[in-house]
Amino acid sequence: MRTEGNLARLDRVFARLDREPERPTHIDVPKMSRHRIALLVATLAFYLATVWAVVITSWLVRLDWQVMFFRPYQQWPEIHAFLDYYVVLGQRGPTAVMISAWLGWRAWRQHTLRPLLVFGAALLLLNVTVGAAKIGMGRLGPHYATTIGSNEMGMGGDIFPSGHTANAVVTWGILAYLASTPWTRRWLSAGSALMSLGVGLTTVYLGTHWLSDVILGWVAGLLVLLALPWCEPLITRAETWILDLRDRVRARGPGTAPVPARVGSPALLKPHATAEEEVTVRENTTPAARSSRAPAHAPHHPVHLAPGSHASRAERSPVTPAGSRRPPHADRAPHAAGNPSAHPLPGSG
């Protein structure tokens, strides 16, 4: 029963995809063009330059300490409650749920799994790249700083680059990446940029990140979005594999029509058939047995009946030398009384 329920749910999930087996032609899949490659290389160079500026404790680190001593959360305390809720738009769990719900609806409408697979690939790249950078550089946050003016690198922290900021860039920027028209992509790009900018500055306001953490978070998220077209062939193969797996599961389901047996093939036996029943079934299903049981019919010739009314075979009573076997009826006259010229049979008196 549980397997049948799972198959029914899978049928409902993929029913929309069955209506249109091919991807719609209006979906614009971004390509890794020369312009995109140049932008990716420039962004990667800026990423490495930011990391180097923090490692050598340059002016960027001094700016970090100045902003920290300024304590924005004490300068403008009236917006503190609002920004505590606003920063949730950069947390990975809540944003992943919201974006997945929206992309799931788009996948249902467009009859393709590509939106969800692209979002999954983006989150995987984000977790691998940003997570590795956080652990590798081990920088402490403003609340746990030990030495004034130091870069706090290699101290076992995990805040460089800012995960909130990078996640905001990727989760909201993926909407622009999956846009169907250039006009929609421009507007969604501007909206996601403002969203990620606000989330990053909110972490600086709350004192949970250095300003350089936020800058590197913006760059790290942009690198993930720029590198996504390289994952498109793998995403296409993954979608094809998932749909093929769906078809194989449905083919093995309980609703599959049985294949008709060929002529001359042995009949199916009962699960608990005895030896005598098995022998009987096999003998009866052979072509020789069927031909021997088939009666030879002689050619039929037309039968001409004499004129007049004729009783059917069921209405006739069998007649023997001793007379009819049908009991006499009260409303029917005896045959001899109705016909005076009839002679009784010998031995009937």
Coordinates of all heavy atoms in Angstrom, one line a residue, residues 50-81:
T50 N 41.0 41.8 -2.6 CA 40.4 42.0 -1.3 C 41.0 41.1 -0.2 O 41.3 41.6 0.9 CB 38.9 41.8 -1.4 OG1 38.3 42.7 -2.4 CG2 38.2 42.2 -0.1
V51 N 41.2 39.9 -0.6 CA 41.8 38.9 0.4 C 43.2 39.4 0.7 O 43.6 39.4 1.9 CB 41.7 37.5 -0.2 CG1 42.5 36.6 0.8 CG2 40.3 37.0 -0.3
W52 N 44.0 39.8 -0.3 CA 45.3 40.2 -0.1 C 45.4 41.5 0.8 O 46.3 41.6 1.6 CB 46.0 40.4 -1.4 CG 47.5 40.9 -1.3 CD1 48.0 42.1 -1.6 CD2 48.5 40.1 -0.8 NE1 49.3 42.1 -1.4 CE2 49.7 40.9 -0.9 CE3 48.7 38.8 -0.4 CZ2 50.9 40.4 -0.5 CZ3 49.9 38.3 0.0 CH2 51.0 39.1 0.0
A53 N 44.4 42.4 0.5 CA 44.4 43.6 1.3 C 44.2 43.4 2.8 O 44.7 44.0 3.7 CB 43.4 44.6 0.8
V54 N 43.4 42.3 3.1 CA 43.1 42.0 4.5 C 44.3 41.2 5.1 O 44.7 41.4 6.2 CB 41.8 41.1 4.6 CG1 41.7 40.6 6.0 CG2 40.6 42.0 4.2
V55 N 45.0 40.4 4.3 CA 46.1 39.6 4.8 C 47.2 40.5 5.2 O 47.9 40.3 6.2 CB 46.5 38.6 3.7 CG1 47.8 37.9 4.1 CG2 45.4 37.5 3.6
I56 N 47.5 41.5 4.4 CA 48.7 42.4 4.7 C 48.3 43.5 5.6 O 49.1 44.4 5.9 CB 49.2 43.0 3.4 CG1 48.2 43.9 2.7 CG2 49.7 41.9 2.5 CD1 48.8 44.6 1.5
T57 N 47.1 43.5 6.2 CA 46.6 44.5 7.1 C 46.8 45.9 6.5 O 47.4 46.8 7.1 CB 47.4 44.4 8.4 OG1 47.4 43.1 8.8 CG2 46.6 45.2 9.5
S58 N 46.1 46.1 5.4 CA 46.2 47.4 4.7 C 45.2 48.4 5.2 O 44.6 48.2 6.3 CB 46.0 47.2 3.2 OG 44.7 46.7 2.9
W59 N 44.9 49.5 4.5 CA 43.9 50.5 4.8 C 42.5 49.9 5.0 O 41.7 50.5 5.7 CB 43.9 51.6 3.7 CG 43.5 51.0 2.4 CD1 44.3 50.6 1.4 CD2 42.2 50.9 1.9 NE1 43.6 50.2 0.3 CE2 42.3 50.4 0.6 CE3 40.9 51.3 2.4 CZ2 41.2 50.2 -0.2 CZ3 39.8 51.0 1.6 CH2 39.9 50.5 0.3
L60 N 42.2 48.8 4.3 CA 40.9 48.2 4.4 C 40.7 47.7 5.8 O 39.6 47.8 6.4 CB 40.8 47.1 3.4 CG 39.4 46.4 3.3 CD1 38.3 47.4 3.0 CD2 39.4 45.3 2.2
V61 N 41.7 47.1 6.5 CA 41.6 46.6 7.8 C 41.4 47.8 8.8 O 40.6 47.8 9.7 CB 42.8 45.8 8.2 CG1 42.7 45.4 9.7 CG2 42.9 44.5 7.3
R62 N 42.1 48.9 8.5 CA 41.9 50.1 9.4 C 40.5 50.6 9.3 O 39.9 51.1 10.3 CB 43.0 51.1 9.0 CG 44.4 50.7 9.3 CD 45.4 51.9 9.2 NE 45.4 52.5 7.9 CZ 46.3 52.1 6.9 NH1 47.2 51.1 7.2 NH2 46.3 52.6 5.8
L63 N 40.0 50.6 8.0 CA 38.6 51.0 7.9 C 37.6 50.1 8.6 O 36.6 50.6 9.2 CB 38.3 51.1 6.4 CG 36.8 51.5 6.0 CD1 36.6 52.9 6.5 CD2 36.6 51.4 4.5
D64 N 37.9 48.8 8.6 CA 37.1 47.9 9.4 C 37.0 48.3 10.9 O 36.0 48.3 11.5 CB 37.7 46.5 9.3 CG 37.4 45.9 7.9 OD1 36.5 46.4 7.2 OD2 38.1 44.9 7.6
W65 N 38.2 48.7 11.5 CA 38.2 49.0 12.9 C 37.5 50.4 13.1 O 36.9 50.5 14.2 CB 39.7 49.1 13.4 CG 40.2 47.7 13.6 CD1 41.0 46.9 12.8 CD2 40.0 46.9 14.8 NE1 41.3 45.7 13.4 CE2 40.7 45.7 14.7 CE3 39.3 47.2 16.0 CZ2 40.7 44.7 15.6 CZ3 39.4 46.2 17.0 CH2 40.1 45.0 16.8
Q66 N 37.6 51.3 12.2 CA 37.0 52.6 12.4 C 35.5 52.4 12.4 O 34.8 53.0 13.2 CB 37.4 53.5 11.3 CG 38.9 54.0 11.4 CD 39.3 54.8 10.2 OE1 38.5 55.1 9.3 NE2 40.6 55.2 10.2
V67 N 34.9 51.6 11.5 CA 33.5 51.3 11.5 C 33.0 50.6 12.7 O 32.0 50.9 13.3 CB 33.1 50.6 10.2 CG1 31.6 50.2 10.2 CG2 33.4 51.4 8.9
M68 N 33.8 49.7 13.2 CA 33.5 49.0 14.4 C 33.4 49.9 15.6 O 32.5 49.8 16.4 CB 34.5 47.8 14.6 CG 34.0 46.8 15.7 SD 34.4 47.2 17.4 CE 36.2 46.9 17.4
F69 N 34.4 50.8 15.8 CA 34.4 51.7 16.9 C 33.3 52.8 16.7 O 32.8 53.4 17.7 CB 35.7 52.5 17.0 CG 36.8 51.6 17.6 CD1 38.1 51.5 17.0 CD2 36.6 50.8 18.7 CE1 39.0 50.7 17.5 CE2 37.6 50.0 19.2 CZ 38.8 49.9 18.6
F70 N 32.8 53.0 15.5 CA 31.7 53.9 15.3 C 30.4 53.4 15.9 O 29.5 54.1 16.4 CB 31.5 54.2 13.8 CG 30.4 55.2 13.5 CD1 30.6 56.6 13.9 CD2 29.3 54.8 12.9 CE1 29.5 57.5 13.6 CE2 28.3 55.7 12.6 CZ 28.4 57.0 12.9
R71 N 30.2 52.0 15.9 CA 29.1 51.3 16.5 C 27.8 51.9 15.9 O 27.0 52.6 16.6 CB 29.1 51.4 18.0 CG 30.2 50.6 18.6 CD 30.2 50.7 20.1 NE 31.1 49.8 20.7 CZ 32.4 50.1 20.9 NH1 32.9 51.3 20.6 NH2 33.3 49.2 21.5
P72 N 27.4 51.5 14.7 CA 26.2 52.1 14.1 C 25.0 51.7 14.9 O 24.0 52.5 14.9 CB 26.2 51.5 12.7 CG 27.6 51.1 12.4 CD 28.2 50.7 13.7
Y73 N 24.9 50.5 15.5 CA 23.7 50.2 16.2 C 23.5 51.1 17.4 O 22.4 51.1 17.9 CB 23.8 48.7 16.7 CG 25.0 48.4 17.6 CD1 25.0 48.5 18.9 CD2 26.2 48.0 17.0 CE1 26.1 48.2 19.7 CE2 27.3 47.7 17.8 CZ 27.2 47.8 19.1 OH 28.3 47.5 19.9
Q74 N 24.5 51.8 17.9 CA 24.3 52.8 19.0 C 24.0 54.1 18.4 O 23.3 55.0 19.1 CB 25.5 52.9 19.8 CG 25.8 51.6 20.7 CD 27.0 51.8 21.6 OE1 27.7 52.8 21.5 NE2 27.3 50.8 22.4
Q75 N 24.4 54.4 17.2 CA 24.1 55.7 16.6 C 22.6 55.8 16.1 O 22.0 56.9 16.2 CB 25.0 55.9 15.4 CG 26.5 55.9 15.7 CD 26.9 57.0 16.6 OE1 26.4 58.1 16.5 NE2 27.9 56.8 17.5
W76 N 22.1 54.8 15.6 CA 20.7 54.7 15.2 C 20.0 53.6 15.8 O 19.6 52.6 15.2 CB 20.6 54.6 13.7 CG 21.4 55.7 13.0 CD1 21.0 57.0 12.8 CD2 22.6 55.6 12.3 NE1 21.9 57.7 12.1 CE2 22.9 56.9 11.8 CE3 23.5 54.6 12.1 CZ2 24.1 57.2 11.0 CZ3 24.7 54.8 11.4 CH2 25.0 56.1 10.9
P77 N 19.7 53.6 17.1 CA 19.0 52.5 17.8 C 17.6 52.3 17.4 O 17.0 51.2 17.6 CB 19.2 52.8 19.2 CG 19.2 54.3 19.3 CD 20.0 54.7 18.0
E78 N 16.9 53.3 16.8 CA 15.5 53.2 16.5 C 15.2 52.2 15.3 O 14.1 51.8 15.2 CB 14.9 54.6 16.1 CG 15.6 55.3 14.9 CD 16.8 56.0 15.3 OE1 17.2 56.0 16.4 OE2 17.4 56.7 14.4
I79 N 16.2 51.9 14.5 CA 16.0 50.9 13.4 C 16.5 49.5 13.8 O 16.5 48.7 12.9 CB 16.6 51.4 12.1 CG1 18.1 51.6 12.3 CG2 16.0 52.7 11.7 CD1 18.8 52.0 11.0
H80 N 17.0 49.4 15.0 CA 17.6 48.1 15.4 C 16.6 47.0 15.3 O 16.9 45.9 14.8 CB 18.2 48.2 16.8 CG 19.1 47.1 17.1 ND1 18.6 45.8 17.4 CD2 20.4 47.0 17.2 CE1 19.6 45.0 17.7 NE2 20.7 45.7 17.6
A81 N 15.3 47.2 15.8 CA 14.3 46.1 15.8 C 14.0 45.7 14.4 O 13.8 44.5 14.1 CB 13.1 46.6 16.5

